[in-house]
Amino acid sequence: MKKQVKIVVYGAEQLCASCVNLPSSKETFEWLGAAISRKYPDQPFDILHVDIFNPPNEEELSKFAKRVVEEDMFYPVVTLEGNVVGEGNPRLKVIYEELEKYGYSSEG
């Protein structure tokens, strides 16, 4: 593996208006962490949930959280190494493809 990646799930306690029948950002965060761990065992990654209405003081995270709100993005918004890889209803296939660009492999 080349690099341990950073995945951030941006969202809020309340669902976005256009995402009523979808899982919450917290549920997506938990589901995504579990799915990636199963697909790429023993290949560590950092995953973080950021509340877009109460972001941490870290400039990069807070700046993107503000962007999600201002641009009315469908959340949860998932970023991988700062690149948006999912919005509203993220697709595992897309996220897996991006992880594999960083050297993650499902073949033990």
Side-chain angles (χ1 to χ4, degrees):
M1 187 178 71
K2 297 175 185 169
K3 176 184 180 177
Q4 180 171 324
V5 300
K6 180 178 182 180
I7 301 165
V8 183
V9 179
Y10 293 87
E13 289 297 317
Q14 68 185 55
L15 295 175
C16 93
S18 301
C19 307
V20 175
N21 293 320
L22 299 175
S24 72
S25 60
K26 197 70 161 173
E27 290 168 328
T28 298
F29 163 76
E30 292 167 355
W31 162 77
L32 192 55
I36 293 170
S37 293
R38 278 192 305 273
K39 175 88 170 171
Y40 305 104
D42 303 320
Q43 296 172 76
F45 58 93
D46 292 323
I47 187 165
L48 178 67
H49 180 267
V50 172
D51 184 325
I52 59 175
F53 298 115
N54 189 20
N57 288 332
E58 190 177 325
E59 184 179 354
E60 178 187 330
L61 298 175
S62 131
K63 193 173 173 181
F64 193 85
K66 185 176 180 182
R67 181 178 157 204
V68 171
V69 173
E70 288 177 350
E71 294 181 14
D72 287 326
M73 297 173 89
F74 295 121
Y75 52 86
V77 176
V78 179
T79 64
L80 196 148
E81 289 300 308
N83 299 312
V84 175
V85 292
E87 186 179 341
N89 187 15
R91 302 277 182 234
L92 274 177
K93 182 179 180 190
V94 173
I95 294 167
Y96 290 162
E97 287 171 356
E98 193 68 21
L99 282 165
E100 289 172 5
K101 290 178 187 176
Y102 288 91
Y104 284 72
S105 172
S106 59
E107 298 160 10

